[in-house]
Amino acid sequence: MDMTRRVGAEFFGTFWLTFGGCGSAVLAAAFPQLGIGFVGVALAFGLTVLTMAYAVGHISGGHFNPAVTIGLWAAGRFKTGDIVPYWLAQVVGAIAAAAVLYVIASGKPDFVLGGFASNGYGALSPGKYSLMACLLMEVLMTFFFLTIILGCTSKRAAVGFAGIPIGLGLTLIHLVSIPVTNTSVNPARSTAPALFAGGEYVSQLWLFWLAPLVGALIAGAVARWLHEED
């Protein structure tokens, strides 16, 4: 598959993840009477990955996340030269989704931007968790997310079902970590809303690049041992 189509698939997949996931928080979760809460937002993120994995995953591999790309590279399953094009497509796709979401959300008369589904630690953490707690949570959650992905896509795994456990895994990750960091495990998803929320959210972005990438690199290294026969 040529690179243009692959990065196009990554753009659309990351757009859908960011719009669907962050949109559920900004639009639906803002209305308590709809009752989606943390569970609904967690499910929305999982469903975006599940649906795009089957829609365009066969074209690009279905990363939709810079951490997934670097984790696959660390596991020896992705070319070094393809990292930057994938990262660019993912970040641009996420920013485009956040821009569309902003236009829609700001159409409400009493719209208040607030955090705009951004991630944060300390005062910007939903539960006011410390920097160290948020760092550990993001590294650990990304490690297990990549462990799920690398296991489900190994040569000995059941063919055609990877999207289901990956989507459910992301849902579980959100159920655990939304109160702590508002859940990143995805630098592109973190970057896009932060650019609109501005201020301190942008200044804290470093954590939501560093921690997911570290977690993914560790998972990739571990996967080389776990799936050595593959």
Side-chain angles (χ1 to χ4, degrees):
M1 191 70 68
D2 67 78
M3 181 58 74
T4 301
R5 293 180 182 177
R6 291 167 62 198
V7 297
E10 285 297 303
F11 172 90
F12 289 120
T14 313
F15 181 104
W16 186 235
L17 184 152
T18 304
F19 185 82
C22 294
S24 70
V26 172
L27 302 176
F31 292 86
Q33 64 270 28
L34 295 180
I36 74 164
F38 283 173
V39 175
V41 174
L43 187 59
F45 272 101
L47 287 173
T48 61
V49 170
L50 173 61
T51 51
M52 282 292 113
Y54 286 106
V56 298
H58 58 286
I59 299 173
S60 67
H63 300 190
F64 319 139
N65 180 342
V68 173
T69 299
I70 204 69
L72 289 170
W73 170 82
R77 300 190 195 176
F78 196 72
K79 295 180 180 178
T80 303
D82 292 348
I83 293 174
V84 171
Y86 266 52
W87 277 14
L88 287 173
Q90 291 155 0
V91 172
V92 171
I95 293 172
V100 174
L101 179 58
Y102 176 81
V103 172
I104 293 171
S106 60
K108 189 171 180 287
D110 57 349
F111 169 71
V112 177
L113 180 62
F116 201 56
S118 299
N119 304 111
Y121 57 84
L124 301 185
S125 159
K128 312 305 178 189
Y129 285 83
S130 68
L131 168 60
M132 184 56 66
C134 293
L135 174 65
L136 180 58
M137 178 64 84
E138 286 292 322
V139 170
L140 187 65
M141 291 298 98
T142 311
F143 169 83
F144 277 102
F145 187 41
L146 265 295
T147 298
I148 293 167
I149 292 171
L150 291 165
C152 293
T153 57
S154 67
K155 290 182 179 178
R156 288 178 289 172
V159 178
F161 295 98
I164 297 172
I166 292 170
L168 290 176
L170 188 59
T171 298
L172 175 58
I173 286 167
H174 278 77
L175 289 173
V176 174
S177 60
I178 283 177
V180 182
T181 62
N182 212 25
T183 310
S184 173
V185 303
N186 184 336
R189 166 264 181 273
S190 295
T191 299
L195 293 179
F196 287 84
E200 291 182 282
Y201 290 101
V202 173
S203 70
Q204 291 192 0
L205 263 179
W206 67 270
L207 178 69
F208 302 104
W209 274 86
L210 176 65
L213 294 182
V214 169
L217 287 170
I218 296 172
V222 171
R224 282 181 177 266
W225 167 69
L226 280 176
H227 306 289
E228 186 175 7
E229 293 180 7
D230 293 342

